[in-house]
Amino acid sequence: MESTSEDAQNNLTPTNFLSALSWLLGWIYFLCWAFSSYPQPIINFRRKSVTGLSLDYFTVNILAHSCYTISCVAFLYSDIIRKQYRQRWGANVGDPTVRVNDLAFTAHALFWSCFTITQFYWWGYTRLSSQRLSRGMKYFILGSLAVVGVVCLLVVFTSETDEPITEQPYSGFLGKWEWLDVIYTLGNLKLLTSVIKYYPQAHLNYINKSTRGWSIHKCAMDFVGSILSLMQLFIDASFTPGGLTSVIGNPLKFLLGLVSVGFDIVFMLQHWVLYPSKRGEYEMDQEREDEGGSRALLADGHAHVDYDFQDSIHERRETSK
């Protein structure tokens, strides 16, 4: 009994504690990010409308999570990628700081992004003619796919599989490229799309001076999940041989967490500080309907879509059926 007690005490090392804490934080942040996917389609279902939402955001979100899913699968299960990672950053760095909960999150988010986009096209919900994929976003998506294709070709034509992998696998634009560079390219695209995808929705909220139709619960849970994700990353780095170098080896998770936190703060400020929800919306809509206006002019003379007005008319029509 005494030896068993001593063994148990020996097992309670700081590394084991941090590993358990990392596991716990990882799955809590997965639950936060997972549940953040549910409020928006539920709101759309209840309103029978997608007005107030940016189609650019939900479309490019599919591209973003596709890139992240492939990246996580490669870092977790590809022997080639894991070997190239260790040789790129040094054997003392250890394995990539990508966890199963990272894959679970992005695969789950990819599914719900695809589901939500169907509400724009196939559910018969109210959608304004102005709600369409912008030309710039179309070019961005096509350009992103082209970049991935070019990097794959560089790997095929510049890699030499018969020679051992060096610590510096490429030098210059036409040097030696590896499949690890394809995965890093996908990660960079995920990060870039995360910066780009939030802007259209934040700008739309600014133009309409309203966050109606946009789920603030999604932002709140995403904010908590992002903080926990960053905490897990630094905890993982603390007990790996490379220390903070492991964070540099996984810049996607680090920068993605920072970007998400920044935009979530913007959305929460828009919802609760800049454009707080107002009471008596039906009465206000009725007055505007009586006056015969469904569009309003801003002070500078530019028109913005009044989504509150549009939604109230649609809701009353549904009620009267």
Side-chain angles (χ1 to χ4, degrees):
M1 293 295 293
E2 292 181 358
S3 61
T4 302
S5 177
E6 291 177 358
D7 292 339
Q9 291 178 358
N10 292 334
N11 289 331
L12 294 176
T13 62
T15 300
N16 290 340
F17 171 76
L18 290 176
S19 179
L21 181 60
S22 170
W23 180 89
L24 179 62
L25 291 177
W27 286 107
I28 293 177
Y29 104 67
F30 161 73
L31 291 176
C32 290
W33 276 358
F35 283 114
S36 72
S37 301
Y38 302 147
Q40 191 61 64
I42 292 175
I43 289 177
N44 297 343
F45 173 77
R46 290 176 175 175
R47 297 170 63 224
K48 299 296 186 293
S49 171
V50 292
T51 55
L53 302 179
S54 169
L55 183 57
D56 283 0
Y57 171 89
F58 291 98
T59 303
V60 79
N61 215 24
I62 295 176
L63 173 65
H65 286 296
S66 296
C67 292
Y68 198 18
T69 299
I70 296 173
S71 175
C72 288
V73 169
F75 277 125
L76 285 170
Y77 304 114
S78 172
D79 293 335
I80 295 177
I81 298 301
R82 293 171 71 87
K83 178 181 178 181
Q84 292 177 352
Y85 174 88
R86 288 191 294 269
Q87 293 180 330
R88 174 77 61 89
W89 297 102
N92 62 330
V93 173
D95 292 327
T97 54
V98 177
R99 299 291 178 257
V100 175
N101 55 266
D102 296 326
L103 174 59
F105 149 67
T106 188
H108 179 273
L110 176 59
F111 170 80
W112 280 103
S113 296
C114 294
F115 177 85
T116 305
I117 204 72
T118 64
Q119 294 182 315
F120 280 83
Y121 296 103
W122 300 322
W123 290 52
Y125 291 170
T126 300
R127 174 187 167 193
L128 303 179
S129 59
S130 59
Q131 287 180 282
R132 56 183 180 271
L133 192 63
S134 67
R135 182 179 301 178
M137 192 59 69
K138 292 178 183 177
Y139 289 155
F140 173 77
I141 294 174
L142 293 175
S144 299
L145 298 176
V147 168
V148 175
V150 169
V151 176
C152 289
L153 291 176
L154 287 172
V155 174
V156 171
F157 289 109
T158 65
S159 62
E160 300 176 5
T161 56
D162 295 333
E163 296 184 359
I165 301 174
T166 62
E167 292 185 358
Q168 297 297 329
Y170 61 87
S171 58
F173 181 73
L174 295 178
K176 184 179 177 182
W177 291 68
E178 295 176 340
W179 290 113
L180 178 62
D181 298 302
V182 177
I183 301 305
Y184 276 140
T185 300
L186 292 174
N188 291 332
L189 285 177
K190 162 60 178 170
L191 179 61
L192 182 59
T193 53
S194 295
V195 175
I196 293 177
K197 74 177 183 179
Y198 288 116
Y199 174 76
Q201 186 64 55
H203 182 68
L204 188 62
N205 294 343
Y206 167 75
I207 292 297
N208 293 312
K209 298 296 184 291
S210 171
T211 58
R212 182 177 174 84
W214 176 250
S215 172
I216 195 60
H217 300 93
K218 167 185 172 65
C219 297
M221 287 186 284
D222 185 69
F223 177 79
V224 175
S226 299
I227 295 295
L228 295 178
S229 173
L230 291 172
M231 291 175 62
Q232 183 195 38
L233 178 61
F234 280 97
I235 289 175
D236 289 344
S238 68
F239 60 80
T240 55
L244 291 179
T245 306
S246 301
V247 177
I248 301 174
N250 188 11
L252 174 60
K253 187 172 181 177
F254 174 63
L255 295 176
L256 181 61
L258 291 182
V259 170
S260 298
V261 167
F263 274 101
D264 287 335
I265 291 175
V266 170
F267 288 128
M268 288 187 286
L269 286 175
Q270 286 182 324
H271 185 81
W272 283 310
V273 179
L274 299 177
Y275 321 123
S277 300
K278 297 180 180 180
R279 300 297 180 184
E281 290 178 305
Y282 274 95
E283 290 79 7
M284 295 173 62
D285 291 340
Q286 184 62 58
E287 292 177 0
R288 281 177 284 185
E289 185 178 8
D290 292 341
E291 293 174 358
S294 63
R295 295 178 65 87
L297 291 178
L298 299 176
D300 58 2
H302 295 287
H304 79 284
V305 180
D306 192 340
Y307 289 115
D308 290 350
F309 174 77
Q310 297 277 359
D311 291 342
S312 66
I313 292 179
H314 175 72
E315 291 167 359
R316 282 194 290 272
R317 286 175 179 172
E318 290 294 326
T319 305
S320 62
K321 288 183 180 180

